[in-house]
Amino acid sequence: MLVFRTATALKKQLLLQKKTVGLVPTMGALHAGHVSLVEQACKENDLVIVSIYVNPTQFNVLEDLENYPRNLDDDQKLLQPFSKKIFLYVPENEDLYPNGVVSKTYDFGSLAMYMEGLSRPGHYNGVATIVEALLKNTSPARAYFGEKDFQQLQIIRALNTRLHLGVEIIECPLIREKNGLAMSSRNQLLPPHQREAASVIYKSLEVILQKANTWSLHEMKSFFVSEIEGLEGFRVDYFAIASPSDLIPVEQLKPNQVYRVFVAVYVGKTRLIDTVELKRI
Ligand code: PAF
């Protein structure tokens, strides 16, 4: 597997290849969810660039950045089966932030105002800054992002359209652990008993989906909060149901609508997110 530390070296190699390029941007600590993105990208492109870069500007809490799991050796092992089709891009700060590690300011309107945008001020400016830099450095035909970060996905779609980057943004399905917990690099930070107990997040969402046509939004939220906060060390950061297109949380559920449920839960100091589609008949 070829590993590149700079965009200059990467671009030079890409020019020689003349292949369709897919990009899978990651922050490392790879898991089966990332592998599914890489798998799909390998099917749909001649060459796949997997970037690994823990982007400081998208962390609004220093402790979260410092604790974010990093293990390049393990990541490389996990990517080994795809090594013939992959370029690994592991840039240093200077490569992506030549003028200092600060984010640009974007206006994504309602897309960035609620859920993660509200709970993590500046987060999406950081994400958009780095995704813009990665897309410009790699010029892919397609870029792959997971449904788990649905709000991020919609913002990246808006970024791509607004900047006329011409990349096909591909949404890949959320992958879950056996117990239903949404796969996340942050799951590694949980001790085994909490990782098991965190299955309550998806189990509660499943109940809510079963009651999609009978419960009010208020009943859904009360149920979720009581299930989660009934466990020691668990706390709900937000529970929101929003339209998938503008991501504005609604107050009431209407018939014949497709919504998206967004949740963020603290398990001790680790913050986990999940999302499911909810259809009201
Ligand atoms: O989803 C992620 O892992 C990150 O937000 C991304 C898209 C790699 C940007 O740092």
Side-chain angles (χ1 to χ4, degrees), residues 168-213:
E168 195 182 340
I169 304 295
I170 312 274
E171 172 181 348
C172 301
L174 192 158
I175 307 290
R176 298 185 177 280
E177 298 192 357
K178 269 203 196 106
N179 66 6
L181 178 64
M183 289 226 179
S184 162
S185 302
R186 288 189 169 85
N187 294 355
Q188 295 180 23
L189 300 172
L190 299 173
H193 72 282
Q194 281 191 329
R195 191 160 173 164
E196 198 42 51
S199 64
V200 67
I201 301 171
Y202 184 55
K203 285 183 185 138
S204 307
L205 289 174
E206 278 186 308
V207 174
I208 287 169
L209 291 184
Q210 282 158 18
K211 303 288 182 186
N213 293 306

Side-chain angles (χ1 to χ4, degrees), residues 24-28 34 37 51-59 68 97 120 123-124 126-131 134 144-146 148-149 152 156 185-186:
V24 180
T26 81
M27 297 206 297
H34 295 112
L37 304 186
S51 64
I52 296 186
Y53 176 68
V54 182
N55 173 32
T57 64
Q58 70 186 75
F59 289 82
Y68 199 83
Y97 290 102
R120 304 177 68 188
H123 171 66
Y124 285 123
V127 170
T129 303
I130 209 64
V131 172
L134 288 167
Y144 295 78
F145 298 90
K148 186 183 120 229
D149 297 292
Q152 166 174 285
I156 291 169
S185 302
R186 288 189 169 85

